[in-house]
Amino acid sequence: MAIPSEINVVAALYGNRFVTQEVPSRSFPDAGMTAVDAMRLVAEDLALEGDPGRNLATFVTTWMEPEAQRIIADNLHRNFIDHAEYPRTAEIEQRCIRMLADLFHAPGETTGARTQGSSEAIMLGALSLKWNWRTRRQAEGGSTEHPNLVFGGDVHVVWEKFCRYFDVEPRIVPLQPGKYTIGPEDVAPHLDENTIGVAAVLGTTFTGHKDDIVGINDLLVQVKQERGLDVPLHIDGASGGFVWPFLYPDSPWDFRLEQVRSINVSGHKFGLVYPGIGWLVFREVADLAPDLVFTENYLGKTDATFTLNFSTGSAMVLAQYYNLVRYGREGYTYIMRNMQENARALGDLLEATGRFELIGRDEEQLPLVAFLLSGEQAYNEFDIAWQLSAERGWMVPAYTLPPDAQDITIMRALVKETMSREHVDTLARDIEEACRTLTAKGGAHESERAKMVTGPGH
């Protein structure tokens, strides 16, 4: 509907015309508006969003330093793929890859790529597994018709998406009550000549723990020696790849292990960069299937690429490099230890209530607290998550675990860089108060339960 010009004039003087007018939402608008009106329209919509500072479900970075934000803002217009026009950005990508390869103990020259988060990195890494397997099978004169990939039920859903999209049989190891990661005894029965690889998780989104990567690697070494099957191991370090090197530097999970051939990590999680930036790093150049690499002449320069997308922004690549040189090993270690200390403090406070049982707190773990109710209550974990959100605005997810542990419901509070000790103490008090409220009213109402979000977040 057209807005009378006099209303536009008055709104320009005294405020936002959308205070009383319906915002454009159903059809393409006939006319535009002033930049101020457009800015206020969007800002007022976003004012209704949740507070990222209280979102303990997301692994994604929600704060960066002002200097990093300036780098991002100054480079939002720069297309990363245009290496001929922006050669320094391409060089900075390679610096990041070399630094990550060093962090992950690559034995020599390697290769990799920036990606749109770990999802693209996993797709590319798994494609390389499949194509390298196909090359091996063809050299042996074997069939290439039935590839399979082995992983546990503790993986991110992107692994199942890869199998569906690229015609690979998923051999998923189910979880068990009290056992929420996988080890060599789980993997062994699923290996055969059609196995393109095994994926192991470093820091699951469900409980924050890692698969028995050393045990799985030892199994694959044994299988290679005894059965002649060279099955590579890919590490899904989406969350843990920026945690284990600093909290558990002596814990082997990376290229120190013989069968680990590729690793993905999310820069926008514990790499402390805004979304979306991920990384894929290979042990050696030979681990990247050569048929995945495209050589193209674009805008006057010949480039070799092997990403799934084409145009993408440069800003987060530059922001990742900023963080790597800004923090270094010392800075990342300091930040990760602070988060770990606050996670332990939150765990202590929850245990002290007598209401909760913590999951695997004495094991190597991401800086988070995974917990569930102990004993019988008139309410459940979903009720607590709802009440906590309704009363105090905290977003602490409750969810059931994957099969065959689907009867177990847990909660998870991710303790990130921006969560101070005061926040920890306040959250613990708010959880206790939510439980008191639920005790008094007998759990959440069915209408409330129908609105609950029941996923583990990303």
Side-chain angles (χ1 to χ4, degrees):
M1 182 177 69
I3 306 298
S5 60
E6 61 269 21
I7 295 180
N8 280 333
V9 172
V10 175
L13 283 174
Y14 301 118
N16 179 5
R17 79 184 199 218
F18 293 108
V19 168
T20 56
Q21 297 292 330
E22 183 180 359
V23 303
S25 63
R26 295 179 174 84
S27 59
F28 202 96
D30 293 326
M33 64 187 71
T34 68
V36 171
D37 277 344
M39 178 184 70
R40 293 187 65 171
L41 186 157
V42 175
E44 288 171 7
D45 254 339
L46 294 179
L48 302 176
E49 293 275 36
D51 179 5
R54 297 186 182 188
N55 185 356
L56 308 187
T58 181
F59 285 81
V60 173
T61 296
T62 54
W63 179 86
M64 292 189 74
E65 292 181 320
E67 294 82 0
Q69 293 184 40
R70 180 171 178 179
I71 288 173
I72 292 168
D74 288 347
N75 289 279
L76 287 171
H77 64 298
R78 201 178 303 275
N79 189 359
F80 172 77
I81 201 66
D82 293 345
H83 293 170
E85 284 71 22
Y86 311 124
R88 300 315 301 168
T89 302
E91 163 59 21
I92 286 173
E93 177 213 27
Q94 293 303 309
R95 291 179 189 174
C96 291
I97 292 167
R98 291 192 292 267
M99 289 179 180
L100 291 174
D102 176 62
L103 186 67
F104 300 156
H105 298 93
E109 183 181 356
T110 184
T111 189
R114 52 97 18 232
T115 58
Q116 204 68 24
S118 271
S119 294
E120 184 187 6
I122 286 169
M123 291 283 186
L124 286 168
L127 272 175
S128 194
L129 292 177
K130 179 180 179 180
W131 289 26
N132 282 336
W133 164 83
R134 185 175 63 189
T135 299
R136 291 194 303 272
R137 290 291 290 164
Q138 288 171 341
E140 298 165 354
S143 170
T144 61
E145 292 184 0
H146 303 290
N148 68 72
L149 179 63
V150 181
F151 50 85
D154 55 338
V155 299
H156 189 279
V157 68
V158 69
W159 285 99
E160 294 183 60
K161 288 175 70 175
F162 164 80
C163 290
R164 183 182 300 179
Y165 292 174
F166 294 102
D167 197 23
V168 173
E169 176 197 350
R171 294 188 173 179
I172 305 173
V173 179
L175 305 185
Q176 304 171 34
K179 185 176 185 296
Y180 310 130
T181 56
I182 66 169
E185 68 283 359
D186 306 302
V187 171
H190 300 285
L191 301 176
D192 60 29
E193 66 277 3
N194 292 321
T195 303
I196 68 172
V198 175
V201 184
L202 183 74
T204 77
T205 59
F206 299 102
T207 67
H209 298 98
K210 67 179 177 67
D211 290 334
D212 181 1
I213 296 173
V214 171
I216 294 171
N217 174 79
D218 292 345
L219 166 69
L220 297 180
V221 170
Q222 181 181 359
V223 166
K224 181 166 64 173
Q225 293 172 346
E226 296 179 356
R227 298 168 55 186
L229 297 179
D230 187 3
V231 180
L233 179 57
H234 176 97
I235 304 301
D236 183 353
S239 299
F242 272 108
V243 173
W244 259 258
F246 308 113
L247 289 186
Y248 317 107
D250 298 324
S251 177
W253 60 272
D254 51 17
F255 295 127
R256 286 170 288 185
L257 304 178
E258 178 180 335
Q259 290 301 109
V260 174
R261 311 308 299 187
S262 51
I263 298 171
N264 69 272
V265 64
S266 293
H268 63 223
K269 292 183 179 177
F270 292 101
L272 308 181
V273 179
Y274 290 143
I277 181 73
W279 300 94
L280 174 63
V281 182
F282 291 96
R283 181 188 190 92
E284 300 171 354
V285 175
D287 288 310
L288 168 60
D291 286 344
L292 284 176
V293 180
F294 277 78
T295 302
E296 51 200 355
N297 188 336
Y298 183 68
L299 296 178
K301 180 176 172 59
T302 299
D303 279 315
T305 65
F306 62 98
T307 53
L308 292 177
N309 59 13
F310 196 65
S311 292
T312 190
S314 297
M316 299 312 163
V317 175
L318 303 176
Q320 182 73 82
Y321 184 64
Y322 169 89
N323 275 358
L324 296 183
V325 299
R326 165 75 174 94
Y327 298 126
R329 291 179 187 267
E330 182 178 64
Y332 270 105
T333 299
Y334 172 80
I335 292 168
M336 297 301 158
R337 285 179 177 171
N338 284 345
M339 291 190 286
Q340 183 186 51
E341 184 176 338
N342 279 339
R344 287 173 175 166
L346 177 60
D348 289 341
L349 291 169
L350 292 177
E351 270 194 326
T353 68
R355 299 177 186 270
F356 299 105
E357 173 188 340
L358 304 189
I359 297 174
R361 71 174 317 195
D362 296 326
E363 303 170 22
E364 294 177 6
Q365 189 179 21
L366 297 173
L368 56 78
V369 182
F371 58 102
L372 69 163
L373 282 166
S374 58
E376 292 294 325
Q377 306 289 344
Y379 53 89
N380 61 28
E381 290 83 358
F382 295 112
D383 297 342
I384 298 173
W386 174 264
Q387 193 67 35
L388 197 57
S389 175
E391 284 187 6
R392 302 299 301 165
W394 293 106
M395 288 171 270
V396 180
Y399 46 90
T400 56
L401 292 174
D404 288 335
Q406 67 268 24
D407 294 332
I408 298 171
T409 302
I410 71 172
M411 300 182 71
R412 187 203 66 219
L414 190 65
V415 179
K416 297 197 290 187
E417 183 181 11
T418 51
M419 193 172 189
S420 68
R421 181 56 59 88
E422 178 62 24
H423 293 160
V424 166
D425 294 341
T426 301
L427 173 61
R429 289 195 299 268
D430 288 346
I431 291 174
E432 176 72 1
E433 185 61 32
C435 290
R436 291 196 191 99
T437 300
L438 289 165
T439 298
K441 74 177 188 178
H445 190 271
E446 287 305 315
S447 64
E448 295 173 321
R449 288 181 174 172
K451 302 174 184 176
M452 293 176 183
V453 178
T454 59
H458 301 290

